[in-house]
Amino acid sequence: MSSITLKGVEKHYGSTQVLFDCNLEIRDHEFMVIVGPSGSGKTTMLRIVAGLESVTGGEVYFGDRIVNNVDVGDRDVAMVFQNYGLYPHMSVYENMAFGLRRRKLPKPEIDRRVRDAAGMLGISEMLKRRPKQLSGGQRQRVALGRAIVRDPEVFLLDEPLSNLDAHLRVQMRAEILRVHRAVTATAVYVTHDQTEALTMGDRIVVMHEGRVQQVGPPEEPYDRPVNRFVAGFIGTPAMGFLECTLSREGDRAHVEGPGVRIELPPEAAAAVPLPGGSKVVAGVRPEHMDIVPAASVGQDVRSYVTGVVEVVEPLGSEQYVLVDVSGAKLTARTKRDSSIRPDQKVAFAVDGSVVHLFDTETEKAFL
Amino acid sequence: MTAVAPRLDTPDAPVSVPISTRLRRKPWKVAVVAVIVTAGLFWSLAPIYWMVTTSLKNPLEVTRLNPTLYPHALTGQNYGELFGQTLPFSSFLENSVVTSLVAAVIAVAISAFAGYSLSRGQWRLRGFTGQIILATRILPLVVLVGPLYLIFLKTHLLNTYYGLILGYTSFALPFGAWMMKGFIDAVPREIEEAARVDGYGRIGILFRVVLPLTLPGLFTTGAFVFMDAWNNLLYPLTLIDSLKMQTLPPGLLTSFTGQFKTDWGGMMAAACLTTIPLMAAFFAIQRYMVRGLTAGALAGQ
């Protein structure tokens, strides 16, 4: 088994740089999820770990061994591709045995491993079929099977669920985690779907524009995002951002702007190293906004946001309310309330202790 | 009012209409299409009909002042004479089969490697090299034949199978390489990468993954080379001067035309037999032909 370390990894394609000084340590047996929007460099990073791409700068370690110049076939990695990458001219059995034959394993051993993996994934009945005779979910299982029969040190998965429907995706998420527990290899999983990232990863890496933004347990980027990008990317619907001014009165502080006033708890006020009058960006999550009567604003409710409703999206027991707050767009997640309609003025109470504050220039988080 | 997303399954969504139904609505269009197709068929099939019927006529009927549309006295005499003692027709046939087949096999083997390198290789000037290879195809056969004759003269390859096969293969390679490149481009890279992860090297991937997936391409390329070589008149006419070593095209041209008489019946019988392998090759690959040409056309994308 093996840990993976990336030290100062950079990647250029001609004059275009796609990875910038990426540092990352993936522990032995860990299930690490790399998440980010399209073009963030997450797949490139995975391909570098696999050995399918070379680095332009920096080092990749498996354990304490540098593998920069080790060919993909000699790295003892197995990979599940986005479009499965099954060999169309081979049966399911041959697909799974292909890598083992290359390693010249005895025939009975190959047969045992293929049948064990097929049993684990529920595809024993399909071993003689060709990939084109299988459904999407079955193909994905074969791709997983092909990876686990190898019993690799490192298990790489490149958006393996993106071609499946929503129901199957949930099912396969559990399946992959079950397989990971069984094979106990170090796993690196790439996805653009934050639900997958938050539900599957032991830790997650958030990437943006070729840079590692934050690494930590799944709840960390949600609770304590290090910058405005992470705050906006993790969480559905996304966090809303308000341009505000910081005001200080003794050891108390609040931020305010057009239609906004949020009081900060003393420890938060102390954490922001800026004087009163400074500009800051306040981030409010949709689930931290509660509808209140407009009359209570400024009286009983000391931290609030007021705006005009643009769209209401009913979602069964709850609804998303898109609000225009003096030009800034905020989404609130509230209980189903048919009295809220577009063009209506609304007020929301905001809990100041869960508001995030960011530097307007560096976009780094103060809280 | 609550804003909701518009429904996508609107009842006025466009419904595709089968071509046959659309044509049925306009009878004059059907008539125009029928006339064009009939004219095209007549244009293509009439010479073949004439070739087949002439081969079955006796010498007197062939040279009648008022030609007959079909053989009044059916005869197989022309075919019998082809394999008689006077004409080395079976040698022509054998020479054509051997040289065309061997050239096709060699050209396909080299084209597969060249196409793989042009498609997947990561080397400098790959694109430029590909263009240069294709550009050699622009040169007409007749321009190449002079230098080729001199080279073969010096290397003692005139009047040999080797020379002819070398000539056919070298002429077919640029097109073959590009055709294979087109087919290989169509193989998803993920499949190759999966094989790399499974531990296979370039050659292993080529033989175990890429070539099995491009079998139609190999057959199509082979058939093209075979047809090119089979129909080649200029090379054997120039590079071969012994009658025994001639292939079918020059053989037919020189054996049936004399100073005072042309044996049309015999020539047509020989032409019929010459056409059969070509037609067999064509029908064997016609399913892949369009796909092969399209793959080549999309190679740059």
Side-chain angles (χ1 to χ4, degrees), chain B residues 5-200:
Chain B
R7 281 169 63 87
L8 294 175
D9 53 341
T10 46
D12 53 350
V15 179
S16 69
V17 180
I19 292 169
S20 56
T21 314
R22 271 184 275 158
L23 282 177
R24 215 179 296 141
R25 285 183 196 153
K26 309 257 185 197
W28 65 270
K29 278 191 181 174
V30 180
V32 169
V33 170
V35 168
I36 292 171
V37 169
T38 310
L41 274 175
F42 182 79
W43 182 263
S44 308
L45 294 179
I48 296 173
Y49 172 80
W50 202 249
M51 177 179 78
V52 175
T53 51
T54 304
S55 75
L56 297 169
K57 291 174 185 173
N58 62 39
L60 203 63
E61 195 177 347
V62 169
T63 51
R64 265 178 66 167
L65 203 56
N66 298 318
T68 52
L69 257 182
Y70 58 91
H72 289 278
L74 212 61
T75 176
Q77 180 191 345
N78 294 319
Y79 288 92
E81 282 174 3
L82 285 181
F83 296 97
Q85 294 302 310
T86 50
L87 256 182
F89 180 80
S90 50
S91 297
F92 298 162
L93 191 66
E94 187 187 323
N95 297 338
S96 271
V97 168
V98 171
T99 54
S100 303
L101 265 184
V102 174
V105 170
I106 295 174
V108 165
I110 299 174
S111 296
F113 281 101
Y116 187 52
S117 181
L118 286 175
S119 173
R120 299 291 204 248
Q122 292 174 331
W123 39 280
R124 272 169 185 274
L125 302 175
R126 177 172 60 113
F128 178 71
T129 309
Q131 304 292 337
I132 290 291
I133 289 174
L134 194 62
T136 59
R137 182 79 186 188
I138 295 168
L139 297 173
L141 209 58
V142 73
V143 173
L144 300 173
V145 80
L148 210 58
Y149 179 85
L150 290 176
I151 293 169
F152 285 5
L153 183 68
K154 298 271 185 203
T155 50
H156 307 288
L157 286 173
L158 290 177
N159 268 323
T160 62
Y161 278 168
Y162 302 115
L164 215 45
I165 290 166
L166 201 60
Y168 290 158
T169 308
S170 61
F171 187 69
L173 271 179
F175 187 68
W178 267 84
M179 203 159 173
M180 281 311 298
K181 176 189 180 309
F183 275 101
I184 292 168
D185 281 345
V187 175
R189 277 178 190 267
E190 270 196 356
I191 296 176
E192 273 184 72
E193 287 177 347
R196 282 183 67 194
V197 172
D198 271 339
Y200 288 86

Side-chain angles (χ1 to χ4, degrees), chain A residues 47 51-52 72-73 77-79 81-89 98-99 102-103 146 150 312 341-342, chain B residues 1-4 188-201 204-205 207-210 212-213:
Chain A
R47 290 169 61 83
L52 290 170
V72 50
V77 299
M79 189 159 170
F81 292 87
Q82 186 172 1
N83 295 319
Y84 319 125
L86 299 178
Y87 311 117
H89 57 299
F98 193 60
R102 175 73 184 91
R103 283 164 177 75
R146 187 174 63 181
R150 294 256 317 276
V312 178
R341 297 185 175 178
Chain B
M1 208 185 103
T2 305
V4 291
R189 277 178 190 267
E190 270 196 356
I191 296 176
E192 273 184 72
E193 287 177 347
R196 282 183 67 194
V197 172
D198 271 339
Y200 288 86
I205 292 170
F207 280 100
R208 288 165 192 270
V209 178
V210 176
L213 291 177

